[in-house]
Amino acid sequence: MGEIENLPYKEKRYPYHNAYLDYWKKSISNIEEFWDLKARDLVWYKTWDNVLDSSNPPFYRWFVGAQTNINLNTLDRWQNTLIFNKVAYYWEGEDGVSRVITYRDLFKEVNKFSKALIDLGVKENDTVTIYLPMIPELPISMLSVTRIGAIHSVVFSGFSAEALSTRIVDAKSKVLITADSYPRNGKPIELKKNVESAIKLAKDQGVEVEKVIVVKRSGLPIPFIEGRDYWYHELVNKYSDSIYVKPVARKSDDVLFILYTSGTTGKPKGIMHSVGGYMTYVYHAFKWNWDIRPEDVHWTFADVGWITGHTYIVYGPLMHGATEVMYEGAPVYPAPDRAWSIVEKYKVTILYTSPTTLRLLRQYGDEFVNKHDLSTLRILGTVGEPINPDVWEWYFNVVGKGKCPIVDTWWMTETSASMIAPSPHLGLVPLKPGSATYPLPGIEPDVLDDNGNQTPPGVKGYLVIKKPWPGMPLGIWGDPERFVKTYFGKYQGIFYAGDYAVKDEEGYFWLLGRADEVLKVAGHRIGTIEMEDALIKHPSVAEAAVIGMPDPVKGEVPIAAVVLKSGVNPSNELKKELIEVVRNTIGPIATPQAIIFVRKLPKTRSGKIMRRVLKAILTNGIVGDTSTLEDPTSVDELKRAWDEFKLSMK
Ligand code: WT7
C-alpha cells in the first residue's frame, strides 16, 4: 500500500474509502466472529469457550473461559525474538538526563520487581495504588502489578494529596508505589510529602496504607518511615538478573486495572477494565491507528496517569514490540522548542498529543518548529478534545509539512482505546479537519436525539455506541448501579458516551464536546460538581456553581460563581483562599480561572442550579428562556457581578 503515502490526504476521492466502508460493515455484521479472529493475534494460556457473554447486560463479559496475562503479550512474547534487543523506551527526563531501555531490560526489571511485590505480601486481586511521575518505573510498576495478578490504580502525579487519598480509600489500597520528588518546569514537586498527607487522610477514613515503595528520582531529602517505607532500588537489587516470575493466569474477565475519572457527582468513578477485553481491543486499536512498523519510533506526549498513557505509552506499544518515547517534563521547558528537539533527537515517526499541547506550542511561533529536522515524522495524532480546524491546518502544514496524515482519535477512559479515528492501516479515508472521521472496525457509534431516534445528517445529538466491544469497562469499582445509570440509563441497552456529536452526509463523525456537567480543561476531565463540593467545604461559602469558559489554549477553563454566607465580606484574600481549596482538593489542573461573588445563583423552582444560564451570561451568550427560574433577578445580579469582575481585570 506504499502508493497511498504520495497522495494528498485531503483529496476528495481516496482509493481505499470504499474498501474501508465495506470492511467496517462486515465487521459489525457479526461482532463475535470479528473479535474472535482479532483475539487470536494474541497469546493466551487458554482460549475462550465463548467470545461474548451477553446474559447480564450491560455487564458484558468478553472471551469467557479464557486465561491470559497482559505480560505474556507485552514482555514474555518477545523473548527469543529480535524484539528482545530492541529499544522499548527512550526515556528523557525534564532535566536532560536520559535512559535507553530495551525489551530485555524491561523484562528483567519487571521480573525483579514482581518478585519484590510478592515478597512484600502483595496477592492476586489486591489493589496497588501507583502515584509516580513520568519515569520508567511507572510502566515497570504497572507491568509488575499485573504480572502477579494484582490490580493497579494509577493516580496522576499532578493530583493533590486529598485526591490521592480519596482514590486510595475507594480502592482500599494497602500498598502504594511513589517517588521522592520530580522536576516540573525546573522546580521540584514533592510527591512524598503529598503521600504523607494522603496516608493520614486515608487512615481517618479507615484505610491504612501498610507499605510504601519509594523510587529515588531526585534524591532530595524526604520523610521516610522505617518499617513502612521501602526504597525501590533496594528491593529490586536483592534479586539476580535471571530471576523469573511466571505471569499469573488471569481470567479474561478479571479486573486488569482501575482508573479513576470524573463524572457528574462529587465522587470520581473507578473505571474497571478487563484482562482479556482490554488487551484485545488495545492491540487492535493501536495497530489501526498507526499502522505500526518495526522501524517506527512512537511518541505519545501525554501522561501515563491518564488512560492515553496507559494505552498508548504502556500496553499498546509494548504489545506491538514498538519503540516508545517517554518524556517526563513540561512541553516548553526549558525552551519553547523542547518537544521538537525530542522529535529530532529520537527520530520520532509517529507523534500523538492533545490539541491543548498543540495550541500551546503554536503560540510560540513557527520558528521553534522550523529550527528542527522533523523529517522522520510520518503520522500525527491528536486526542482529548475537538481539534480546531486552524490548529489542524497548523499541525498538518507546519509540523507535518503537508506530508503526514492527521489521525484525530475520539475515545474516552471508559472505552480503553480509540473508537472513532481514520486509519493509515487499511488506507486512509479523505480527511476533514476537525472530524475524527469513521469508527474503527467492530465499533458501531451513532448520533441520537433525546427520544432515541437517529438524528438526520448535520443535526446535533448525543454520541452512543450501539454494540458491546472488548474494550468496554467491566463496571465502576464498588458501584455497579452507577455504571448502569451513567452509561446505559439514557438509552436502554446502548452505551451513552456523554458527548455531543453530529454526523455529516458522508457519515463522518464530528465530536462537539461534553454534554454533561463535566469540563475538559487542557484535555483533562474535571467534574463541575467535584469543584463545587470543594468550594463549599470552605466555612465562608454558602453555595457555588462552576462552569467552563472557552479558552484559546486550554479549550475550557473553570469559573466559579460563589454565594457567601451572610455576614461574610467578599475580598481578594478570600478569592485566593478559595482557589487554594480547589487546588488542594483536586490538584493544580482544576485551578479556577476566576471566582466571582454573587448574592444568588440562577436556579429552577425545584432548586437546581441552571448552569446553562450561568454559562450564557459568562460567555456573553444569549440567556434565552428564564421563565423557569425561581428568581429572574438573579440574572441581572450575575451580569452585574461579571461586568464588575471584567472591569477589575482591565
Ligand atoms: C472525553 C473523554 C481519550 C483519552 C483522553 C481523554 C473528549 C476525546 C476527542 C476527540 C473530540 C474528544 C470527549 C470524551 N475527547 N477525544 N478526538 N475529539 N473530543 O479521555 O479524560 O476520559 O475524556 O474527551 O469529550 O468524552 P477522558
Side-chain angles (χ1 to χ4, degrees):
M1 265 185 254
E3 73 274 23
I4 66 161
E5 279 163 37
N6 304 321
L7 286 169
Y9 296 104
K10 288 186 284 175
E11 186 173 283
K12 254 298 174 226
R13 287 285 5 125
Y14 222 75
Y16 295 100
H17 196 167
N18 286 334
Y20 157 77
L21 292 171
D22 292 344
Y23 181 59
W24 176 77
K25 254 183 234 136
K26 190 164 174 283
S27 76
I28 58 150
S29 69
N30 188 339
I31 56 164
E32 296 193 30
E33 196 180 281
F34 178 77
W35 291 113
D36 182 273
L37 201 64
K38 289 291 161 196
R40 285 171 203 280
D41 287 343
L42 292 146
V43 180
W44 304 76
Y45 281 127
K46 178 179 175 292
T47 51
W48 42 98
D49 306 320
N50 249 323
V51 175
L52 173 63
D53 173 1
S54 319
S55 60
N56 184 25
F59 299 94
Y60 297 94
R61 295 296 177 250
W62 284 89
F63 312 112
V64 190
Q67 288 183 355
T68 189
N69 187 303
I70 202 154
N71 272 250
L72 290 184
N73 289 290
T74 49
L75 295 176
D76 297 51
R77 180 176 195 166
W78 309 125
Q79 292 180 90
N80 309 315
T81 73
L82 289 176
I83 290 173
F84 220 44
N85 292 325
K86 197 180 159 180
V87 174
Y89 289 111
Y90 285 120
W91 178 78
E92 168 119 341
E94 194 190 70
D95 51 5
V97 293
S98 59
R99 282 163 74 178
V100 178
I101 297 166
T102 64
Y103 275 86
R104 182 190 304 278
D105 298 334
L106 198 61
F107 181 80
K108 278 189 211 159
E109 194 71 10
V110 167
N111 273 284
K112 288 187 193 182
F113 193 41
S114 297
K115 182 73 171 84
L117 290 173
I118 292 172
D119 288 354
L120 281 178
V122 180
K123 302 248 164 354
E124 205 178 329
N125 288 318
D126 282 355
T127 54
V128 176
T129 297
I130 303 177
Y131 185 55
L132 280 174
M134 283 285 287
I135 54 177
E137 286 76 7
L138 176 46
I140 289 165
S141 297
M142 293 161 74
L143 292 161
S144 304
V145 167
T146 54
R147 189 170 187 89
I148 66 168
I151 299 165
H152 59 69
S153 163
V154 177
V155 178
F156 171 54
S157 60
F159 273 129
S160 69
E162 198 172 327
L164 172 62
S165 77
T166 318
R167 288 158 177 79
I168 290 173
V169 170
D170 190 72
K172 299 198 175 54
S173 241
K174 305 229 177 273
V175 178
L176 177 65
I177 306 170
T178 189
D180 50 357
S181 59
Y182 66 97
R184 183 81 192 175
N185 286 309
K187 291 187 216 68
I189 305 287
E190 296 179 286
L191 216 50
K192 187 64 184 352
K193 255 199 194 155
N194 284 354
V195 164
E196 293 307 326
S197 324
I199 289 178
K200 280 200 197 81
L201 289 167
K203 197 172 174 188
D204 294 344
Q205 292 168 72
V207 175
E208 181 148 14
V209 176
E210 292 162 2
K211 302 212 155 77
V212 181
I213 300 159
V214 190
V215 180
K216 193 178 267 186
R217 163 64 182 104
S218 311
L220 299 174
I222 50 157
F224 196 88
I225 296 170
E226 289 303 330
R228 188 202 65 187
D229 294 357
Y230 301 82
W231 284 110
Y232 171 90
H233 60 272
E234 287 179 6
L235 289 179
V236 293
N237 288 344
K238 281 199 278 192
Y239 308 106
S240 84
D241 274 356
S242 58
I243 193 141
Y244 171 73
V245 174
K246 188 174 186 277
V248 168
R250 300 279 283 160
K251 292 209 298 290
S252 174
D253 54 342
D254 278 339
V255 182
L256 178 67
F257 65 78
I258 313 169
L259 183 60
Y260 286 88
T261 186
S262 291
T264 51
T265 73
K267 195 172 177 248
K269 303 176 273 197
I271 300 299
M272 295 190 285
H273 282 299
S274 72
V275 172
Y278 176 84
M279 189 177 89
T280 304
Y281 191 63
V282 166
Y283 180 87
H284 167 70
F286 194 89
K287 187 170 171 187
W288 184 258
N289 294 142
W290 316 122
D291 176 26
I292 196 81
R293 300 169 189 181
E295 66 278 18
D296 273 325
V297 177
H298 185 271
W299 180 22
T300 295
F301 189 9
D303 198 291
V304 171
W306 310 104
I307 192 70
T308 307
H310 280 56
T311 298
Y312 289 90
I313 300 176
V314 184
Y315 295 116
L318 298 180
M319 276 197 272
H320 284 278
T323 296
E324 183 71 26
V325 173
M326 186 175 177
Y327 170 55
E328 178 187 47
V332 293
Y333 184 87
D337 63 340
R338 184 65 190 267
W340 312 120
S341 74
I342 291 172
V343 172
E344 180 172 358
K345 177 172 175 187
Y346 296 105
K347 302 188 169 25
V348 171
T349 60
I350 304 169
L351 172 63
Y352 189 32
T353 192
S354 66
T356 289
T357 304
L358 294 172
R359 288 188 294 255
L360 176 79
L361 295 171
R362 183 177 68 153
Q363 269 191 341
Y364 292 90
D366 298 356
E367 61 271 24
F368 286 103
V369 187
N370 296 334
K371 252 167 73 176
H372 295 276
D373 176 5
L374 308 183
S375 60
T376 49
L377 287 172
R378 69 176 187 93
I379 299 176
L380 301 172
T382 153
V383 61
E385 311 146 74
I387 182 164
N388 337 40
D390 61 320
V391 178
W392 195 105
E393 294 289 353
W394 178 80
Y395 202 19
F396 185 75
N397 291 314
V398 178
V399 180
K401 314 284 184 272
K403 288 184 309 199
C404 310
I406 307 284
V407 172
D408 179 353
T409 63
W410 177 88
W411 57 295
M412 53 202 294
T413 305
E414 291 83 342
T415 68
S416 293
S418 75
M419 301 283 277
I420 305 179
S423 175
H425 167 62
L426 197 75
L428 277 166
V429 295
L431 300 176
K432 298 186 185 183
S435 165
T437 72
Y438 291 109
L440 266 72
I443 303 299
E444 193 183 355
D446 208 345
V447 181
L448 304 183
D449 65 16
D450 275 306
N451 303 319
N453 300 317
Q454 198 174 39
T455 59
V459 177
K460 179 172 161 179
Y462 304 99
L463 184 73
V464 296
I465 312 294
K466 284 172 140 174
K467 289 199 176 90
W469 71 102
M472 70 194 307
L474 285 170
I476 294 176
W477 181 261
D479 202 345
E481 272 159 45
R482 189 173 179 193
F483 177 70
V484 178
K485 207 173 130 214
T486 310
Y487 305 108
F488 297 89
K490 190 168 172 78
Y491 305 108
Q492 191 63 37
I494 294 179
F495 181 89
Y496 169 71
D499 270 17
Y500 287 121
V502 61
K503 249 201 295 185
D504 67 18
E505 274 83 13
E506 287 182 298
Y508 280 68
F509 284 82
W510 299 76
L511 289 313
L512 306 172
R514 297 291 310 178
D516 57 7
E517 279 149 4
V518 170
L519 305 186
K520 281 248 111 185
V521 180
H524 305 312
R525 227 154 123 184
I526 304 172
T528 49
I529 316 230
E530 250 174 278
M531 284 186 263
E532 290 161 8
D533 282 358
L535 288 164
I536 57 178
K537 279 197 308 196
H538 191 283
S540 302
V541 174
E543 280 186 303
V546 172
I547 59 124
M549 263 290 260
D551 180 88
V553 174
K554 293 180 171 177
E556 247 185 336
V557 287
I559 305 257
V562 170
V563 180
L564 295 173
K565 284 188 184 154
S566 63
V568 179
N569 289 322
S571 69
N572 280 334
E573 281 65 50
L574 189 51
K575 273 189 194 171
K576 280 188 201 129
E577 272 178 44
L578 295 180
I579 289 175
E580 268 319 292
V581 169
V582 179
R583 290 171 62 97
N584 291 337
T585 312
I586 303 170
I589 49 164
T591 308
Q593 175 90 348
I595 305 253
I596 51 168
F597 294 120
V598 291
R599 263 168 300 167
K600 47 193 173 238
L601 292 171
K603 283 190 190 167
T604 60
R605 285 191 196 92
S606 57
K608 200 173 167 328
I609 297 171
M610 291 191 76
R611 287 192 188 70
R612 172 182 68 76
V613 172
L614 195 62
K615 183 155 183 159
I617 297 166
L618 269 46
T619 54
N620 300 320
I622 299 140
V623 178
D625 182 16
T626 53
S627 61
T628 55
L629 282 181
E630 182 198 43
D631 178 1
T633 64
S634 60
V635 170
D636 302 326
E637 219 258 75
L638 247 171
K639 274 190 185 151
R640 215 176 309 121
W642 183 233
D643 288 342
E644 275 167 26
F645 171 80
K646 282 188 291 186
L647 275 178
S648 74
M649 296 305 290
K650 285 212 172 111

